[in-house]
Amino acid sequence: MIEIQKRQHVVNGERPRRTSAGDAFSAFAITALKLAGHLTAAGDQMAKPAGQTSARWQVLAGARHENMSVAQIAKLLGVARQGVQRLADVLEAEGLVTYADNPNHQRAKLVALTSEGRARLSVIETNQAVWADALGAEFDEDTLKKATEIMAHVLDSLATQR
């Protein structure tokens, strides 16, 4: 685990120096953050015809498995359980998901799609398929696969540092 200092010490008003690998990773991270913003905006546009947002879409997609708790969906998405719980409760109130008893845990209910939730998710996924096909055609498939491998490796490295 990499230790991150809680206080920054500024020496002579200079920025801390990084290695060239640190500079390259910082540029990668900034680009990934910008990409995440654009992907969220695109996801919101794809989910809008179904009356949803990117965040709700992710919870609906997690509920499709019908054997996942809120905590499991949150872990899959890499987000806080409380945020997923809040969204799942809203989706339940709208009749898009339901809670089912969990044979493996007395209190952690399983999240399952209702028929309306499946219909809304289908609309979103149809929009996403058209969008992904169009953008995917702009790139070499092997390049996209390599980029995915790199991002997965970075995610694994970050996960081990928690």
Side-chain angles (χ1 to χ4, degrees), residues 14 41 53-54 95 108 130:
E14 293 180 21
T53 63
S54 289
V130 171

Side-chain angles (χ1 to χ4, degrees), residues 140-151:
D140 174 67
E141 189 175 338
D142 289 336
T143 301
L144 289 171
K145 287 180 180 179
K146 183 64 177 169
T148 301
E149 288 174 17
I150 291 167
M151 292 187 85

Side-chain angles (χ1 to χ4, degrees), residues 10 15 20 25 37 44 55 70 73 78-79 94 97 112 131 136 152 156 161:
V10 177
R15 290 177 31 184
S20 59
F25 185 82
D44 287 343
V70 164
I73 293 171
V79 297
E94 293 177 0
V97 301
W131 174 82
D156 288 344
Q161 292 179 17

Side-chain angles (χ1 to χ4, degrees), residues 79-124:
V79 297
R81 182 202 58 78
Q82 294 87 345
V84 174
Q85 184 68 63
R86 183 182 59 78
L87 289 170
D89 288 346
V90 169
L91 292 169
E92 182 200 30
E94 293 177 0
L96 303 178
V97 301
T98 186
Y99 292 115
D101 287 335
N102 185 344
N104 299 316
H105 196 282
Q106 197 171 21
R107 291 187 337 209
K109 301 288 186 190
L110 300 177
V111 184
L113 285 175
T114 63
S115 58
E116 180 62 23
R118 272 190 285 288
R120 302 269 187 107
L121 184 58
S122 179
V123 168
I124 298 167

Side-chain angles (χ1 to χ4, degrees), residues 49-70:
Q52 302 304 309
T53 63
S54 289
R56 289 173 170 219
W57 170 14
Q58 291 175 21
V59 175
L60 288 170
R64 175 195 302 121
H65 302 292
E66 295 186 19
N67 61 348
M68 295 180 78
S69 66
V70 164

